[in-house]
Amino acid sequence: MDQFVLLITDHTSLRSEITCHTRGISLVTRTPEHLARADWDAAALVLIDMQAAPILRTRPHPLPHRDAVTMLAAAEDRAEPDLYRHAVALGASHVITLPDGAGALRKQIAMLVASLPMVVAVLDPATDGEVGAVTAANLALAGVAAGHHVGLIHARASSVDVNHALQAAELNPPAVGRGTLHALYADRKQAPPRQALQQAMSDMAARRSVTVAHLDPHRPDTWAVLYGIDLVIVPVPAPLVTDQATRDVVTAARGYTPHVHVHVTGTDLDTDVTTAVAASMGADYPSMTGIAITGSPASADQLSDHGHRAHLWAAVARHRPTAETTT
């Protein structure tokens, strides 16, 4: 078997959560009762659920200490008096509390892979989600043209027929290493439940170098799947860039990743206004770009605008995670 991450736990929910962070490397799960010494020795990284630690410590033959062992704790485990005693006994070099410590976990895993896959969430503040649908489709097409294997998850109800628009869109001229696109579409009237969405994102990210997910920021389920996200793009037409809904989505997104990009579109784009809005969001305001386009920013015709795609992909390329930069 190639390099893999070993997760020792009894809980399916923890496995689902860890899968979001192990993109680019295999994840092997074992219960503490069925852990084989060979798996312990061979894993590139061993993750131990705090709840499994007491069982591991009672094994007849103690497990040897390894530098690549990390203990995973939930927020309620931090008050557990035996937490660090278990970690020391099992040779854990780190104790990470999830979900707050997801960045530290991602950094450990990023060091095991040459190229870390990327997940981008498109969060459109508007209630109709039309600008977000076109933005997500443009990102997917731009990634394909750049030679990447892209996954698109359209998980938000919208009047834009993304499937039809993608089939009709003209891709950029062929280039060496032209990529591929695999798309999943939710029911146009009903967004998928959280567990189904989380599983779809995990499965797609495990097979694609870039995954773009168009999600609804007004659904609580959306925020539950954003831990470990690499980049959030908030697309807004120029007249709405100062809208409170935009500010609310940006503020909430920054609680999950420092990489938040506001993409402003419109024929009446005022760069001075966009700069002032960015500055008003604080010293650590997210990156922001604007592009003047013809026609409605939510029009499916924008899928044929190569310039629009190029601006969006530039934001993605700027935030691509690497082993050196993942935090």
Side-chain angles (χ1 to χ4, degrees), residues 88-157:
V88 171
L90 294 171
S93 57
H94 297 82
V95 175
I96 293 177
T97 302
L98 294 176
D100 294 346
L105 180 60
R106 285 288 308 283
K107 187 169 185 178
Q108 284 188 346
I109 296 168
M111 296 173 67
L112 305 178
V113 294
S115 178
L116 192 67
M118 184 178 193
V119 176
V120 181
V122 176
L123 303 181
D124 181 355
T127 55
D128 57 23
E130 293 179 354
V131 174
V134 173
T135 299
N138 263 307
L139 274 172
L141 291 173
V144 171
H148 294 278
H149 298 296
V150 181
L152 171 63
I153 300 177
H154 181 55
R156 181 175 182 181

Side-chain angles (χ1 to χ4, degrees), residues 122 124 129-141 154 158 160 162 165 214 296-303 308 312:
V122 176
D124 181 355
E130 293 179 354
V131 174
V134 173
T135 299
N138 263 307
L139 274 172
L141 291 173
H154 181 55
S158 170
V160 176
V162 177
H214 178 217
S296 169
S299 170
D301 293 339
Q302 292 307 321
L303 291 175
H308 192 186
L312 285 166

Side-chain angles (χ1 to χ4, degrees), residues 2-203:
D2 294 330
Q3 280 200 129
F4 65 94
V5 172
L6 173 64
L7 172 64
I8 305 172
T9 184
D10 279 316
H11 302 289
T12 303
S13 58
L14 180 60
R15 186 189 190 285
S16 297
E17 183 173 357
I18 298 302
T19 300
C20 297
H21 308 295
T22 54
R23 303 191 296 270
I25 190 168
S26 299
L27 176 65
V28 174
T29 304
R30 297 285 185 264
T31 63
E33 296 88 353
H34 296 93
L35 172 65
R37 170 67 186 274
D39 288 335
W40 177 275
D41 292 338
L45 176 65
V46 178
L47 306 176
I48 302 174
D49 180 2
M50 163 62 187
Q51 303 303 320
I55 300 175
L56 293 179
R57 291 186 62 186
T58 61
R59 286 171 62 101
H61 303 289
L63 295 164
H65 286 190
R66 295 193 52 196
D67 292 337
V69 175
T70 292
M71 183 83 72
L72 301 180
E76 58 269 22
D77 292 329
R78 286 183 291 194
E80 171 60 52
D82 288 331
L83 172 61
Y84 293 100
R85 186 177 303 152
H86 290 326
V88 171
L90 294 171
S93 57
H94 297 82
V95 175
I96 293 177
T97 302
L98 294 176
D100 294 346
L105 180 60
R106 285 288 308 283
K107 187 169 185 178
Q108 284 188 346
I109 296 168
M111 296 173 67
L112 305 178
V113 294
S115 178
L116 192 67
M118 184 178 193
V119 176
V120 181
V122 176
L123 303 181
D124 181 355
T127 55
D128 57 23
E130 293 179 354
V131 174
V134 173
T135 299
N138 263 307
L139 274 172
L141 291 173
V144 171
H148 294 278
H149 298 296
V150 181
L152 171 63
I153 300 177
H154 181 55
R156 181 175 182 181
S158 170
S159 61
V160 176
D161 189 337
V162 177
N163 185 26
H164 176 75
L166 285 173
Q167 291 176 350
E170 178 186 359
L171 296 180
N172 287 332
V176 175
R178 163 76 66 85
T180 59
L181 175 62
H182 180 69
L184 295 176
Y185 306 95
D187 185 290
R188 294 181 65 181
K189 296 182 180 179
Q190 180 67 45
R194 179 185 64 82
Q195 289 185 332
L197 177 57
Q198 189 170 43
Q199 188 63 53
M201 290 176 65
S202 297
D203 291 346

Side-chain angles (χ1 to χ4, degrees), residues 206-262:
R207 295 170 174 80
R208 300 278 153 174
S209 60
V210 179
T211 298
V212 179
H214 178 217
L215 308 175
D216 187 347
H218 305 294
R219 285 175 54 89
D221 282 358
T222 291
W223 302 102
V225 302
L226 287 189
Y227 288 107
I229 209 80
D230 297 302
L231 171 66
V232 170
I233 291 183
V234 182
V236 288
L240 299 180
V241 70
T242 58
D243 192 76
Q244 186 61 45
T246 300
R247 296 173 181 268
D248 290 344
V249 171
V250 169
T251 299
R254 289 171 64 190
Y256 294 83
T257 174
H259 307 302
V260 178
H261 181 84
V262 180

Side-chain angles (χ1 to χ4, degrees), residues 298-324:
S299 170
D301 293 339
Q302 292 307 321
L303 291 175
S304 61
D305 188 332
H306 300 325
H308 192 186
R309 290 189 221 157
H311 274 74
L312 285 166
W313 189 251
V316 172
R318 187 163 58 250
H319 292 285
R320 281 193 68 85
T322 65
E324 292 75 25

